């Protein structure tokens, strides 16, 4: 079974530039999550989709971050303009709806460095 | 406000001995708890979980203990192996299943198992 795919794996941008990350969840997984993990911290949920609808985006900095999930499958997370404090790993995860944590699968992450 | 706390950033043990990783939580609504393991440059992978109706769950070398009155859980690894060296995240959720299921993570503990 293919896992959660993310790209790009690594990205370095200057502050005030924009960046976009892509995620392809496990086939059949209706729920998709984007987490931000800053070095030395645990993952923090940014946004959660159920199919192509947003379930929770309470911790998404909406002035600079946006996310969409087209047709309830792939998702993109965009940051514009980027700030130094956005340097982090952006983890995409997916699960079956109503899943317990043991069926939340994470991708390898997209590492962002803002200089 | 950190709802899930892992107060030990790192732990070092000898191969064959017991590793004990601790986690405290503050949100009394949490009713499901998980441990994730993370190797460098990889996404977190599920390790073991426990429901609040239990006080112990065992899976091979891994055992999780839950003390609800103390709002404390611990992960025991016996015997520890060098391949167990990784960052371990404690996570918690409120509400069993449902489309808005999400995890709150601690900051993680880096476990190093020395040969």
């Amino acid at each position: 079974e293919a896992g959660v795919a993310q790209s790009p794996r690594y990205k370095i941008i200057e502050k005030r530039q924009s960046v976009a990350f892509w995620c392809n969840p496990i086939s059949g997984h209706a729920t998709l999550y984007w987490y931000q993990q800053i070095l030395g911290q645990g993952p923090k949920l940014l946004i959660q989709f159920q199919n192509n609808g947003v379930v929770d985006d309470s911790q998404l900095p909406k002035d600079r971050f946006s996310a969409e999930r087209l047709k309830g499958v792939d998702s993109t997370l965009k940051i514009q303009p980027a700030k130094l404090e956005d340097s982090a790993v952006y983890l995409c995860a997916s699960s079956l709806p109503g899943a317990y944590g043991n069926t939340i699968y994470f991708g390898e992450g997209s590492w962002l460095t803002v200089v | 406000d950190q709802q899930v706390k892992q107060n030990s950033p790192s732990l070092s043990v000898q191969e064959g001995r017991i590793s004990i990783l601790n986690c405290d939580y503050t949100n009394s609504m949490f009713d499901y708890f998980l441990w994730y393991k993370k190797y460098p440059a990889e996404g977190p992978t599920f390790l073991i979980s426990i429901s609040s109706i239990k006080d112990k769950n065992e899976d091979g070398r891994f055992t999780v203990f839950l003390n609800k009155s103390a709002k404390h859980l611990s992960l025991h690894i016996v015997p520890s192996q060098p391949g167990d060296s990784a960052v371990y995240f404690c996570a918690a959720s409120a509400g069993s299943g449902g489309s808005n299921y999400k995890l709150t993570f601690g900051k993680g503990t880096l476990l190093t198992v020395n040969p």
Side-chain angles (χ1 to χ4, degrees):
Chain A
E1 180 183 74
V4 177
Q6 292 188 244
S7 67
R9 287 296 313 276
Y10 305 94
K11 192 76 176 177
I12 301 175
I13 62 172
E14 296 183 350
K15 59 183 179 183
R16 290 186 290 274
Q17 286 187 324
S18 63
V19 64
F21 301 113
W22 171 84
C23 172
N24 180 242
I26 293 173
S27 178
H29 282 195
T31 307
L32 185 147
Y33 313 79
W34 282 102
Y35 281 83
Q36 178 193 57
Q37 186 185 1
I38 294 172
L39 187 64
Q41 305 286 323
K44 181 184 82 171
L45 180 68
L46 292 177
I47 189 167
Q48 178 181 347
F49 292 94
Q50 177 72 16
N51 296 308
N52 59 354
V54 176
V55 174
D56 185 347
D57 63 356
S58 58
Q59 297 193 92
L60 186 74
K62 298 180 184 63
D63 57 336
R64 298 182 301 104
F65 285 66
S66 65
E68 61 180 4
R69 189 178 185 194
L70 301 174
K71 300 179 181 178
V73 181
D74 293 2
S75 177
T76 56
L77 176 71
K78 297 179 181 178
I79 308 173
Q80 181 180 16
K83 292 185 175 181
L84 296 177
E85 58 262 36
D86 298 332
S87 295
V89 180
Y90 291 86
L91 295 163
C92 181
S94 70
S95 71
L96 295 169
Y100 285 99
N102 58 336
T103 53
I104 293 181
Y105 298 91
F106 284 84
E108 293 183 320
S110 292
W111 296 66
L112 174 66
T113 301
V114 182
V115 297
Chain B
D1 176 31
Q2 200 177 346
Q3 299 184 66
V4 178
K5 301 178 184 179
Q6 294 177 256
N7 293 320
S8 298
S10 63
L11 174 67
S12 183
V13 301
Q14 287 298 121
E15 181 179 5
R17 308 294 283 266
I18 185 172
S19 296
I20 300 176
L21 296 93
N22 294 303
C23 178
D24 297 292
Y25 61 97
T26 59
N27 188 341
S28 57
M29 298 300 292
F30 287 147
D31 62 358
Y32 198 73
F33 305 90
L34 310 93
W35 287 92
Y36 276 80
K37 178 179 180 179
K38 186 180 183 303
Y39 291 116
E42 295 185 11
T45 55
F46 169 76
L47 186 60
I48 192 169
S49 63
I50 188 167
S51 165
S52 60
I53 62 174
K54 295 185 176 182
D55 55 17
K56 176 182 174 181
N57 188 27
E58 192 171 355
D59 183 2
R61 297 186 297 114
F62 303 91
T63 303
V64 57
F65 296 92
L66 175 63
N67 183 334
K68 284 181 60 180
S69 61
K71 293 190 175 68
H72 177 84
L73 62 155
S74 61
L75 174 67
H76 293 210
I77 307 173
V78 183
S80 301
Q81 299 174 354
D84 296 329
S85 298
V87 176
Y88 289 78
F89 289 103
C90 175
S93 70
S96 303
S99 60
N100 61 344
Y101 176 78
K102 63 181 180 182
L103 299 177
T104 301
F105 284 84
K107 290 185 177 182
T109 297
L110 174 62
L111 173 65
T112 302
V113 180
N114 301 303

